[in-house]
Each structure stands twice: as C-alpha cells, then as structure tokens.
C-alpha cells in the first residue's frame, strides 16, 4: 500500500475515534494512547510498521517516520514495535556491518516526549541485552524537521547515546530540512 493510502486510512480511523470520543483539553495522554490503540487494532500493525521503518533496498539506511509512528504506537503495542525495529536494525547490521538512520521528526513535541521517554529506556536496554552495538555500528543519524524542543532534551538523549556516537548525530530544523527529507525518502522506495 502506498504511503498516501496508509495516511488516509490512519486519518479516517483517527477522525472516527475523535467523533466518538470528544477531544480532551486536559488529560490527553491517555486519550492519545487509546486513539493509537484503536488505530493499531483497525489497521494491520505489520502494515503500519512497514510504513514507519523503511529500509533502503541496497544500502544500510533505515528511515523512521515519526508522523506515522505517533498515530498508532501505544503502551499496549510498543514492545512489538521496538522488537520489530531491533530486528530490522540487526538485519541491516548483519548485511552491511553498520547502519545509518534518517528520522523525520515532524510534529514531535514535549508532550510527545513525555509519553515516549520510558520507551527510549526500554529500547536501549534491549540493545544492550541483545549486544546490539548501537553506538559502534552507527554511521550517522540525521534528524530532519527537528523541533527546537529536542535541543532542550539533549541531556536526556545524551544519557543513552555513547560519547563515541554523539558526533555522528546531526539535527536539521524545519527550514534546513525542506526538500532534503523528501529526496531521501523518495530514494528509499
């Protein structure tokens, strides 16, 4: 299924959810989790994962599309999501001896970070438990459409990223990202 179709499908289920559940002004965290659950129960999770994590067909590049991820990732399915990503990561490393990542961070917010921060811990613990040498095997990580809030969260992220890998990470704001992310994602398909 094309990405436009999956986005339309997601939007349709999201609209249906909020039509049936009045949008909360406060206590949105649980409601967003419930909406994400609803989407992941109505659209095949494998299909969502394949549109979230895209592997370049001949190179070691993995693309992560946060705008899709945020619509379905929930406390109830995050273990499956992270294990899917770890499997991709392991496969790419086995085939290329390293990996690179391109992340589209459009719409990432401080409230999103609050919802997800315990998932980062889980992910990096699994990397350690499975002897995935994230920092050593990383060629580069480019984050596009990076909101300014991410620079405020640098201390949090640095606690997970080995000092040897920090110079491999580049953040590009929305203005710097114009055209770049689209070109990269087009090459990926």
């Amino acid at each position: 299924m094309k990405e436009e179709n999956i986005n339309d499908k997601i939007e349709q289920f999201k609209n249906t959810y909020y039509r049936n559940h009045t949008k909360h002004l406060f206590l949105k965290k649980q409601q967003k989790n419930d909406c994400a659950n609803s989407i992941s129960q109505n659209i095949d999770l494998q299909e969502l994962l394949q549109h979230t994590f895209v592997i370049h067909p001949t190179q070691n590049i993995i693309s992560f599309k946060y705008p899709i991820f945020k619509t379905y990732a929930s406390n109830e399915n995050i273990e499956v999501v992270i294990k899917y990503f770890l499997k991709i990561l392991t496969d790419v490393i086995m085939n290329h001896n390293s990996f690179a990542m391109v992340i589209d961070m459009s719409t990432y917010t401080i409230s999103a970070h609050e919802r997800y921060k315990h998932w980062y811990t889980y992910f990096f613990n699994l990397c350690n438990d499975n002897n995935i040498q994230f920092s050593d095997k990383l060629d580069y990580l480019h984050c596009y459409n990076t909101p300014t809030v991410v620079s405020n969260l640098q201390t949090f992220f640095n606690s997970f990223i080995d000092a040897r890998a920090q110079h491999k990470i580049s953040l590009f704001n929305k203005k710097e990202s114009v055209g770049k992310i689209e070109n990269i994602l087009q090459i990926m398909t």
Side-chain angles (χ1 to χ4, degrees):
M1 177 180 283
K2 290 191 174 192
E3 188 166 331
E4 298 85 33
N5 294 342
I6 194 75
N7 287 332
D8 291 343
K9 218 173 177 182
I10 289 168
E11 196 61 31
Q12 177 185 6
F13 281 108
K14 190 166 84 171
N15 290 338
T16 299
Y17 176 86
Y18 283 116
R19 225 182 354 266
N20 296 329
H21 304 85
T22 306
K23 223 174 193 182
H24 295 165
L25 293 176
F26 303 101
L27 305 172
K28 290 194 245 182
K29 183 177 180 178
Q30 184 59 47
Q31 188 176 40
K32 286 190 177 204
N33 191 69
D34 293 344
C35 181
N37 252 344
S38 176
I39 289 169
S40 69
Q41 290 169 2
N42 286 289
I43 302 175
D44 180 49
L45 186 56
Q46 272 310 115
E47 184 179 357
L48 292 164
L49 290 167
Q50 289 168 0
H51 284 279
T52 303
F53 301 97
V54 179
I55 306 166
H56 190 283
T58 61
Q59 296 181 26
N60 69 341
I61 304 168
I62 303 168
S63 168
F64 173 70
K65 299 175 185 175
Y66 172 74
I68 294 175
F69 170 84
K70 75 173 190 172
T71 64
Y72 71 87
S74 68
N75 291 327
E76 290 71 19
N77 65 22
I78 196 59
E79 185 174 340
V80 172
V81 173
I82 290 175
K83 286 183 177 179
Y84 179 88
F85 174 55
L86 284 177
K87 172 78 170 97
I88 287 172
L89 187 60
T90 303
D91 290 349
V92 168
I93 291 170
M94 284 184 67
N95 291 327
H96 299 279
N97 200 34
S98 66
F99 75 101
M101 284 208 61
V102 174
I103 299 176
D104 180 2
M105 295 190 73
S106 294
T107 70
Y108 193 85
T109 62
I110 193 72
S111 64
H113 178 75
E114 285 300 314
R115 282 192 311 277
Y116 306 143
K117 67 182 179 184
H118 63 283
W119 297 352
Y120 293 108
T121 305
Y122 179 66
F123 168 73
F124 283 103
N125 284 341
L126 277 178
C127 282
N128 288 335
D129 293 348
N130 291 290
N131 200 27
I132 298 172
Q133 300 162 336
F134 187 91
S135 298
D136 293 334
K137 298 296 183 177
L138 177 67
D139 287 340
Y140 64 84
L141 189 152
H142 290 178
C143 298
Y144 292 96
N145 296 311
T146 306
T148 54
V149 70
V150 170
S151 60
N152 298 336
L153 301 170
Q154 197 159 1
T155 304
F156 172 82
F157 287 114
N158 284 348
S159 67
F160 297 110
I161 309 295
D162 190 292
R164 296 169 299 181
Q166 289 178 8
H167 72 281
K168 301 175 186 180
I169 300 170
S170 299
L171 306 178
F172 301 94
N173 64 32
K174 290 179 194 251
K175 186 177 178 182
E176 296 167 324
S177 299
V178 172
K180 289 181 182 177
I181 189 77
E182 291 83 7
N183 290 340
I184 291 166
L185 294 178
Q186 190 173 32
I187 291 167
M188 299 287 291
T189 56

